[in-house]
């Protein structure tokens, strides 16, 4: 029997994380306000951002941290709307 990971990032591809963040923040402009890196603020696209994030560990860490924050926010919002 294989144990499933409790890590929400486990098995999650970077492109999926980035797409979810862009959707959550309704575009790169607001995402760039959350994480001020050039790939989000200067002529942004998914592909150019992925190239940068794959080569830049500190930026990827920031994106993953923001993603975890967004997941927690979504859970809180679901609990509020469920009551």
């Amino acid at each position: 029997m294989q144990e499933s990971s409790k890590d929400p990032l486990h098995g999650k591809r970077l492109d999926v994380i980035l797409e979810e963040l862009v959707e959550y923040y309704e575009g790169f402009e607001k995402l760039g306000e959350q994480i001020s890196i050039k790939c989000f603020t200067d002529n942004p696209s998914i592909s150019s951002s992925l190239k940068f994030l794959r080569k830049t560990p500190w930026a990827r860490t920031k994106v993953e941290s923001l993603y975890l924050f967004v997941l927690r926010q979504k859970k809180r919002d679901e609990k509020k709307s469920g009551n």
Side-chain angles (χ1 to χ4, degrees), residues 73-83:
Q73 285 297 116
K74 285 181 176 181
K75 278 189 178 177
R76 284 188 197 115
D77 293 345
E78 286 174 10
K79 285 181 181 178
K80 285 180 186 175
S81 65
N83 290 334

Side-chain angles (χ1 to χ4, degrees), residues 9 14 17 21 35 37 40 52-69:
L9 295 174
L14 184 58
I17 291 172
L21 286 174
I35 303 175
I37 52 180
F40 295 161
F52 177 76
L53 294 171
R54 287 183 177 129
K55 291 188 280 184
T56 317
W58 64 263
R60 183 177 182 144
T61 299
K62 285 185 173 213
V63 168
E64 290 172 344
S65 295
L66 181 62
Y67 179 71
L68 293 173
F69 171 78

Side-chain angles (χ1 to χ4, degrees), residues 33-51:
E33 292 171 6
Q34 298 298 313
I35 303 175
S36 184
I37 52 180
K38 196 172 181 178
C39 70
F40 295 161
T41 60
D42 185 27
N43 199 18
S45 72
I46 295 288
S47 65
S48 66
S49 297
L50 285 172
K51 286 177 191 172

Side-chain angles (χ1 to χ4, degrees), residues 11-41:
K12 198 72 147 173
R13 291 183 11 207
L14 184 58
D15 61 332
V16 174
I17 291 172
L18 186 57
E19 287 168 2
E20 286 185 33
L21 286 174
V22 170
E23 182 180 328
Y24 182 82
Y25 286 105
E26 299 172 349
F28 277 104
E29 186 176 331
K30 289 184 181 171
L31 179 57
E33 292 171 6
Q34 298 298 313
I35 303 175
S36 184
I37 52 180
K38 196 172 181 178
C39 70
F40 295 161
T41 60

